[in-house]
Each structure stands twice: as structure tokens, then as C-alpha cells.
Amino acid sequence: MTGEMSPVDKAKYVAARRAADMVQDGMRVGLGTGSTAVWMVRRLGERVKDEGLQIKGVPTSSRTAQLAREVGIEVVSLDQAGWLDMAIDGADEFDGELNLIKGGGGAHLQEKIVATASDRMVVIADAGKEVETLGAFPLPVEVVPFGWQTTRTLIEEALDTMDVLGTSTALRMNGEAPFVTDEGNHILDLHLQRIGNARQLALVLNQVPGVVENGLFIDICDKVVIGYGDGRVEVRDINEGTIETDQPAESGENLFLDIVD
């Protein structure tokens, strides 16, 4: 697989590796959900095995919890951890102010709780996730199953008053049945195309009866680690106002040698 990775997968891998290497011994770490987060969890597992790294991981989904246990990370609940030193997670979109759309994997409720219970939220993403304005990726909204069609109607009415280009909504499906989150809820994906005022939209959506949480992460992310297909990594810190760039490994050092199927 070392030579078979696409540029996007390489970008995800180097971003995940860079963020995982920020974790220090003794930390309590929120473990995100999604394709990029998988690389991060695996890298942390390598560090636990090879370096004796001792951390407590708080997963944001049952999928992540299973993987973390498989790679040797001690898994605890958020209530057991109390407060986290860092949360590392992916994003479906991020803008220049590090506002995010998350929830493509259906775990944004737990992800938002974990992120806001952390001293720092670090987002890992390939460069293609950066956008000038949020909204091209469908915005996930978790809703309770009871009366979900009424909730959908109320959301659509609210969207008519918002600064968005599109107002269509769709119930997320898993084959022939509605997708069900870890909390037993459904997800409505809002196809908005462009979100003019993400902060306002997030507040309005969470006022709709039946809405549990939306996938807009506003003023939550502290740092984004961006991977590129050539192995470059850029780290942007919104609080410090800094940008660091790591160049690809020299030809004699292949970061991808430890990747296995």
C-alpha cells in the first residue's frame, strides 16, 4: 500500500501523523471520527506500543472506541476524564477563521461535546477541505426521530430567512433505512451551497424543536493541521496567529513505510 496511496490519502496521513505527534505523555485526548481521524488513532497506537506513551483517549463514536482499543489506547468516557488536554478530529470543511462543518460521519454531537471540553481542538485535514465560505458540503443536523418530518419543515421555514443559497434538505439514509447515530437519532443534511452567516445559522437551527445539534463548529477549533499530497504539512494556530510549514521528508526517509493494509 505504500506506493498505492492517492495524494489525498497521503495528505490525510501526514496531517494525522503531525497532530498525533503533538500528544504528550499523560494527556487526556479526545479522539475524533472519520477517515483522517483513523490515521491519527493508528499513529497514537504506534506511539503507545513503540514509545510507551501513556494517554487516556475519549472517543467520539463507537467506531473510534473500537479502533482505539484495538491499537492499545486506554479508552475512558468523558465523564471519567473530566476535562481534556486536547481533542484531535477531522473536518468536512474549514474556512480562514477555522470555523468548520463536521458531521459527514454522523458523529458531530459527540465530537462537539468533546471538542468544547478540551483545552485545545486540533483539526486534521487535507488541503481540499479548505474553503473561502462554508456551505458546499451538506450541513448535518441531528434530530430526534419523534416528529422528525415536522422538525424538517420547521428547519426549511427557518432557512428561508437565512443568508444561504440553497434550502433543500434530505434525511440521511443507511441503505433502505434512516441512518441512526450513536444516540439513536436521525440526521438531516442541509444542502445550502453557501452559508453567509454561519454563526447566526448555528444559533437559529439549535432553537428549532427536535434539533439536537448542528454540524457548524464556530470558535471551537484552535489549530488546523493541513496535509498535502507531496508530504508537506502546514500548521495554523488561530490564537497565536502563526503558520508553520513542515517540508516533505528527504528521499532517504519515507514516512509512508509504516503504513499497512
Side-chain angles (χ1 to χ4, degrees):
M1 182 175 173
T2 56
E4 304 297 327
M5 293 182 74
S6 70
V8 170
D9 283 339
K10 287 181 180 179
K12 292 179 179 181
Y13 173 74
V14 295
R17 183 185 180 101
R18 178 69 166 81
D21 288 349
M22 296 176 183
V23 175
Q24 300 176 9
D25 201 56
M27 279 189 169
R28 294 159 294 179
V29 183
L31 306 176
T33 297
S35 59
T36 311
V38 165
W39 291 117
M40 176 268 299
V41 174
R42 287 176 175 168
R43 171 59 180 165
L44 285 176
E46 289 177 2
R47 295 191 61 199
V48 168
K49 179 181 177 181
D50 299 339
E51 304 172 20
L53 180 72
Q54 295 186 4
I55 60 173
K56 296 182 186 298
V58 176
T60 56
S61 68
S62 56
R63 288 164 288 163
T64 297
Q66 179 180 351
L67 176 61
R69 292 188 179 100
E70 288 175 357
V71 299
I73 297 172
E74 180 183 356
V75 172
V76 299
S77 69
L78 182 57
D79 288 336
Q80 290 172 319
W83 192 261
L84 306 181
D85 300 287
M86 181 187 301
I88 307 176
D89 207 343
D92 298 301
E93 285 185 348
F94 69 92
D95 66 14
E97 297 180 348
L98 304 195
N99 294 316
L100 322 169
I101 286 182
K102 290 180 52 56
H108 60 278
L109 173 58
Q110 289 191 26
E111 290 171 337
K112 189 174 285 190
I113 294 172
V114 167
T116 54
S118 305
D119 286 338
R120 289 180 291 163
M121 182 192 187
V122 177
V123 162
I124 47 180
D126 62 271
K129 300 295 175 61
E130 183 172 12
V131 297
E132 185 173 341
T133 305
L134 299 176
F137 190 90
L139 174 64
V141 178
E142 186 161 341
V143 301
V144 296
F146 176 80
W148 72 265
Q149 294 188 60
T150 298
T151 301
R152 179 180 183 174
T153 298
L154 293 172
I155 289 174
E156 290 173 346
E157 290 177 354
L159 290 177
D160 286 336
T161 67
M162 296 289 100
D163 182 10
V164 295
L165 285 183
T167 57
S168 65
T169 65
L171 179 67
R172 187 178 298 185
M173 303 296 290
N174 182 16
E176 298 297 319
F179 177 88
V180 178
T181 69
D182 281 352
E183 289 73 36
N185 297 316
H186 296 332
I187 288 182
L188 294 173
D189 288 311
L190 314 187
H191 297 264
L192 309 178
Q193 302 177 45
R194 182 189 63 82
I195 300 172
N197 190 330
R199 188 184 307 276
Q200 180 189 44
L201 179 60
L203 292 171
V204 168
L205 287 173
N206 279 7
Q207 294 300 312
V208 175
V211 169
V212 180
E213 188 55 82
N214 68 81
L216 286 167
F217 284 51
I218 310 298
D219 298 333
I220 296 177
C221 175
D222 298 287
K223 185 178 293 188
V224 61
V225 182
I226 307 167
Y228 294 83
D230 62 0
R232 283 182 300 129
V233 177
E234 184 178 292
V235 182
R236 300 181 196 171
D237 190 314
I238 194 71
N239 300 313
E240 300 294 333
T242 57
I243 299 176
E244 301 176 8
T245 302
D246 297 345
Q247 296 300 320
E250 298 296 331
S251 57
E253 179 189 1
N254 187 352
L255 289 177
F256 307 106
L257 285 177
D258 57 354
I259 300 175
V260 295
D261 290 322

